[in-house]
Amino acid sequence: MKKTGIAMILVCFLASLAFAGGQGEKGADAFPSRTPTIVIGYGAGGGTDTAIRPIVAEMEKFFGRSITVVNMPGADSAVAADYVLNQKADGYTWFGTGNSALAVMLKLRGLSNTDWREWETLMTVIGPSLLVVRKDSPIRTMDDVIEYFQREDVVAGVTGLGSEPHLFIDEVHSLSGGRSITYTPYGGCHPAAVAVIRREADIAPVAMSAVLDFVRAGEVHPIAAFGTTEPVEIEIDGKTVSIPNIGAAYPPAAHLENIQESWPIYVPRSVPVEIRRKIREAFEWAVQQPSVQEFADSRGLLVSGVTGEEADRIMSFVESNVGWALEAAGIAEHSPASFDIPKPEDWVWPPAGWNVEY
């Protein structure tokens, strides 16, 4: 009788394992069986929002199911990041923000404990940022910008403190030896540009994709482009307008040409890998669709589509470069050294002990 009891317990145990395994496979095969949600950490119409939505629209077609997009600005997207991490790790809640924000900025500014290691990264598009002023501003060139910085106390509108556009203008202001500068965060590139138009801010560094309509309508005047080694050309009323890259417009800031903005979709790595693969498959299909390429072309963006280990490598590189730039700019509340983040000259891939299943 004793042996029979042990045998029955063993059979039940093995059956439960088989059932659990079957349920896991079935869950991945059936994904998504309900509506996923992506939570974007900045406002509607901003650079992050406009970069992600066209790809999400194609992922809906792949899944044959709608995807809810929620804008949740706050603390430079830390509110959205923590919200997503607090949801069930079943693959139904994703996150969207800028690559530098999640790579390192949130952590160094003490806004959230998370960083890129906790997320699978799906790179959407990359593109330049523009330094813009209102249409009737006396500032028309980078020489005017430098002179203005040296002569006046400046109010600059930014997406968020520590964002890449913020780093761009802060570095130029520092190089210029300017007077005081006040940064006002607006939670998105679009509202930062609106602040310039409404004369709440003198100048703003913003993602080009978010303000291209303002440029074409003549509501803002673009001075220079960051994150590109070539001039940016925009068609306005049948004419091509060329915006100089920052290295050509202001050579001391040429190093800012190499920092490109990207606005990835992030899936918590705590989600089972089988489900993350399904999401990645949908993403990789979506970025190949003509509508995404047409959107990118219309906004002066490049489709990335990078996933997997290469995406992690990029995020690790951004962590090092942007992390130490934040330190140099005096924006970081915590030193990158306190998190063992290597300086750019010491960066290598992969990090010690890196062992991730893709």
Short mmCIF file of all heavy atoms in Angstrom, two decimals, residues 27-36 59-60 62-67 90-92 94 275 278-279 282:
data_model
loop_
_atom_site.label_atom_id
_atom_site.label_comp_id
_atom_site.label_asym_id
_atom_site.label_seq_id
_atom_site.Cartn_x
_atom_site.Cartn_y
_atom_site.Cartn_z
N GLY A 27 0.13 28.72 -24.28
CA GLY A 27 0.04 30.15 -24.05
C GLY A 27 0.82 30.94 -25.08
O GLY A 27 0.36 31.95 -25.60
N ALA A 28 2.03 30.46 -25.42
CA ALA A 28 2.85 31.15 -26.42
C ALA A 28 2.23 31.02 -27.80
O ALA A 28 2.19 31.99 -28.57
CB ALA A 28 4.27 30.58 -26.41
N ASP A 29 1.72 29.82 -28.13
CA ASP A 29 1.12 29.62 -29.45
C ASP A 29 -0.12 30.48 -29.64
O ASP A 29 -0.41 30.95 -30.74
CB ASP A 29 0.76 28.14 -29.63
CG ASP A 29 1.99 27.26 -29.76
OD1 ASP A 29 3.08 27.81 -30.05
OD2 ASP A 29 1.88 26.04 -29.54
N ALA A 30 -0.87 30.66 -28.56
CA ALA A 30 -2.13 31.41 -28.66
C ALA A 30 -1.93 32.92 -28.51
O ALA A 30 -2.88 33.68 -28.70
CB ALA A 30 -3.09 30.93 -27.58
N PHE A 31 -0.73 33.34 -28.19
CA PHE A 31 -0.49 34.77 -27.95
C PHE A 31 -0.59 35.57 -29.25
O PHE A 31 -0.04 35.17 -30.27
CB PHE A 31 0.91 34.97 -27.36
CG PHE A 31 1.22 36.41 -27.05
CD1 PHE A 31 0.90 36.96 -25.82
CD2 PHE A 31 1.82 37.23 -27.99
CE1 PHE A 31 1.17 38.29 -25.53
CE2 PHE A 31 2.10 38.56 -27.72
CZ PHE A 31 1.77 39.09 -26.49
N PRO A 32 -1.29 36.72 -29.24
CA PRO A 32 -2.06 37.26 -28.13
C PRO A 32 -3.52 36.81 -28.21
O PRO A 32 -4.13 36.88 -29.26
CB PRO A 32 -1.95 38.77 -28.35
CG PRO A 32 -1.85 38.91 -29.84
CD PRO A 32 -1.13 37.69 -30.34
N SER A 33 -4.06 36.39 -27.11
CA SER A 33 -5.46 35.99 -27.06
C SER A 33 -6.35 37.14 -26.58
O SER A 33 -7.57 36.98 -26.52
CB SER A 33 -5.62 34.78 -26.13
OG SER A 33 -5.18 35.09 -24.83
N ARG A 34 -5.72 38.27 -26.22
CA ARG A 34 -6.46 39.48 -25.87
C ARG A 34 -5.63 40.69 -26.29
O ARG A 34 -4.55 40.52 -26.87
CB ARG A 34 -6.78 39.52 -24.38
CG ARG A 34 -5.57 39.35 -23.46
CD ARG A 34 -6.02 39.23 -22.01
NE ARG A 34 -4.93 38.90 -21.11
CZ ARG A 34 -4.09 39.78 -20.56
NH1 ARG A 34 -4.22 41.08 -20.86
NH2 ARG A 34 -3.13 39.39 -19.74
N THR A 35 -6.10 41.86 -26.01
CA THR A 35 -5.48 43.09 -26.52
C THR A 35 -4.22 43.47 -25.74
O THR A 35 -4.30 43.72 -24.54
CB THR A 35 -6.47 44.26 -26.43
OG1 THR A 35 -7.63 43.93 -27.19
CG2 THR A 35 -5.86 45.54 -26.97
N PRO A 36 -3.05 43.52 -26.39
CA PRO A 36 -1.86 44.03 -25.72
C PRO A 36 -1.95 45.55 -25.59
O PRO A 36 -2.71 46.22 -26.30
CB PRO A 36 -0.71 43.64 -26.67
CG PRO A 36 -1.29 42.63 -27.61
CD PRO A 36 -2.73 42.98 -27.72
N MET A 59 2.01 45.88 -36.47
CA MET A 59 1.99 44.72 -35.60
C MET A 59 0.56 44.25 -35.35
O MET A 59 0.30 43.05 -35.20
CB MET A 59 2.70 45.04 -34.29
CG MET A 59 4.21 45.27 -34.44
SD MET A 59 5.04 45.74 -32.89
CE MET A 59 5.02 44.19 -31.99
N GLU A 60 -0.39 45.20 -35.33
CA GLU A 60 -1.80 44.83 -35.20
C GLU A 60 -2.22 43.93 -36.35
O GLU A 60 -2.95 42.95 -36.15
CB GLU A 60 -2.67 46.08 -35.17
CG GLU A 60 -2.56 46.89 -33.91
CD GLU A 60 -3.47 48.11 -33.93
OE1 GLU A 60 -3.62 48.73 -35.01
OE2 GLU A 60 -4.02 48.45 -32.87
N PHE A 62 -0.28 41.98 -38.13
CA PHE A 62 0.38 40.68 -38.00
C PHE A 62 -0.38 39.80 -37.01
O PHE A 62 -0.63 38.61 -37.27
CB PHE A 62 1.82 40.87 -37.53
CG PHE A 62 2.59 39.60 -37.39
CD1 PHE A 62 3.32 39.10 -38.46
CD2 PHE A 62 2.61 38.89 -36.19
CE1 PHE A 62 4.04 37.91 -38.34
CE2 PHE A 62 3.32 37.71 -36.06
CZ PHE A 62 4.04 37.22 -37.13
N PHE A 63 -0.76 40.38 -35.89
CA PHE A 63 -1.46 39.61 -34.86
C PHE A 63 -2.95 39.43 -35.16
O PHE A 63 -3.60 38.55 -34.60
CB PHE A 63 -1.33 40.30 -33.50
CG PHE A 63 0.02 40.14 -32.84
CD1 PHE A 63 0.65 41.22 -32.25
CD2 PHE A 63 0.64 38.90 -32.79
CE1 PHE A 63 1.88 41.07 -31.63
CE2 PHE A 63 1.88 38.74 -32.17
CZ PHE A 63 2.50 39.82 -31.58
N GLY A 64 -3.49 40.28 -36.05
CA GLY A 64 -4.92 40.25 -36.28
C GLY A 64 -5.71 40.69 -35.07
O GLY A 64 -6.85 40.24 -34.84
N ARG A 65 -5.11 41.59 -34.30
CA ARG A 65 -5.74 42.02 -33.06
C ARG A 65 -5.27 43.45 -32.76
O ARG A 65 -4.11 43.81 -33.02
CB ARG A 65 -5.33 41.09 -31.92
CG ARG A 65 -6.00 41.40 -30.59
CD ARG A 65 -5.62 40.37 -29.55
NE ARG A 65 -6.20 39.05 -29.86
CZ ARG A 65 -7.43 38.68 -29.57
NH1 ARG A 65 -8.25 39.53 -28.96
NH2 ARG A 65 -7.86 37.47 -29.85
N SER A 66 -6.15 44.28 -32.23
CA SER A 66 -5.79 45.66 -31.92
C SER A 66 -4.78 45.71 -30.77
O SER A 66 -4.71 44.80 -29.94
CB SER A 66 -7.03 46.47 -31.55
OG SER A 66 -7.61 45.96 -30.37
N ILE A 67 -3.99 46.79 -30.74
CA ILE A 67 -3.03 47.05 -29.67
C ILE A 67 -3.35 48.43 -29.12
O ILE A 67 -3.39 49.41 -29.87
CB ILE A 67 -1.58 46.99 -30.19
CG1 ILE A 67 -1.26 45.59 -30.74
CG2 ILE A 67 -0.60 47.36 -29.08
CD1 ILE A 67 0.08 45.50 -31.46
N ASP A 90 3.22 38.74 -18.62
CA ASP A 90 2.61 37.81 -19.55
C ASP A 90 2.73 38.26 -21.01
O ASP A 90 2.17 37.64 -21.91
CB ASP A 90 1.13 37.60 -19.20
CG ASP A 90 0.36 38.92 -19.12
OD1 ASP A 90 0.92 39.98 -19.48
OD2 ASP A 90 -0.82 38.89 -18.69
N GLY A 91 3.45 39.38 -21.24
CA GLY A 91 3.66 39.84 -22.61
C GLY A 91 2.59 40.79 -23.12
O GLY A 91 2.66 41.22 -24.27
N TYR A 92 1.61 41.14 -22.28
CA TYR A 92 0.52 41.98 -22.75
C TYR A 92 0.72 43.47 -22.44
O TYR A 92 -0.12 44.29 -22.81
CB TYR A 92 -0.81 41.49 -22.17
CG TYR A 92 -1.31 40.26 -22.86
CD1 TYR A 92 -0.99 38.99 -22.37
CD2 TYR A 92 -2.06 40.34 -24.04
CE1 TYR A 92 -1.42 37.84 -23.02
CE2 TYR A 92 -2.49 39.21 -24.69
CZ TYR A 92 -2.17 37.95 -24.18
OH TYR A 92 -2.60 36.82 -24.84
N TRP A 94 3.68 46.49 -22.85
CA TRP A 94 4.99 46.89 -23.34
C TRP A 94 5.25 48.35 -22.97
O TRP A 94 4.39 49.03 -22.45
CB TRP A 94 5.09 46.73 -24.86
CG TRP A 94 4.50 45.47 -25.42
CD1 TRP A 94 4.35 44.26 -24.78
CD2 TRP A 94 3.97 45.27 -26.74
NE1 TRP A 94 3.77 43.34 -25.62
CE2 TRP A 94 3.52 43.94 -26.83
CE3 TRP A 94 3.85 46.09 -27.85
CZ2 TRP A 94 2.95 43.42 -27.99
CZ3 TRP A 94 3.28 45.58 -29.01
CH2 TRP A 94 2.85 44.25 -29.07
N ILE A 275 7.06 33.92 -25.57
CA ILE A 275 6.16 35.02 -25.90
C ILE A 275 6.94 36.21 -26.43
O ILE A 275 6.51 36.88 -27.37
CB ILE A 275 5.32 35.41 -24.66
CG1 ILE A 275 4.37 34.26 -24.33
CG2 ILE A 275 4.55 36.71 -24.91
CD1 ILE A 275 3.53 34.48 -23.08
N LYS A 278 7.49 35.74 -30.02
CA LYS A 278 6.30 36.05 -30.83
C LYS A 278 6.19 37.56 -31.06
O LYS A 278 5.88 38.00 -32.17
CB LYS A 278 5.03 35.53 -30.13
CG LYS A 278 4.90 34.03 -30.07
CD LYS A 278 4.56 33.43 -31.43
CE LYS A 278 3.17 33.80 -31.95
NZ LYS A 278 2.08 33.17 -31.20
N ILE A 279 6.44 38.34 -30.02
CA ILE A 279 6.37 39.80 -30.16
C ILE A 279 7.47 40.28 -31.10
O ILE A 279 7.25 41.14 -31.95
CB ILE A 279 6.49 40.47 -28.77
CG1 ILE A 279 5.32 40.05 -27.87
CG2 ILE A 279 6.54 41.99 -28.91
CD1 ILE A 279 5.48 40.45 -26.41
N ALA A 282 6.54 39.60 -34.72
CA ALA A 282 5.59 40.60 -35.22
C ALA A 282 6.29 41.92 -35.51
O ALA A 282 6.01 42.58 -36.53
CB ALA A 282 4.48 40.80 -34.20
#
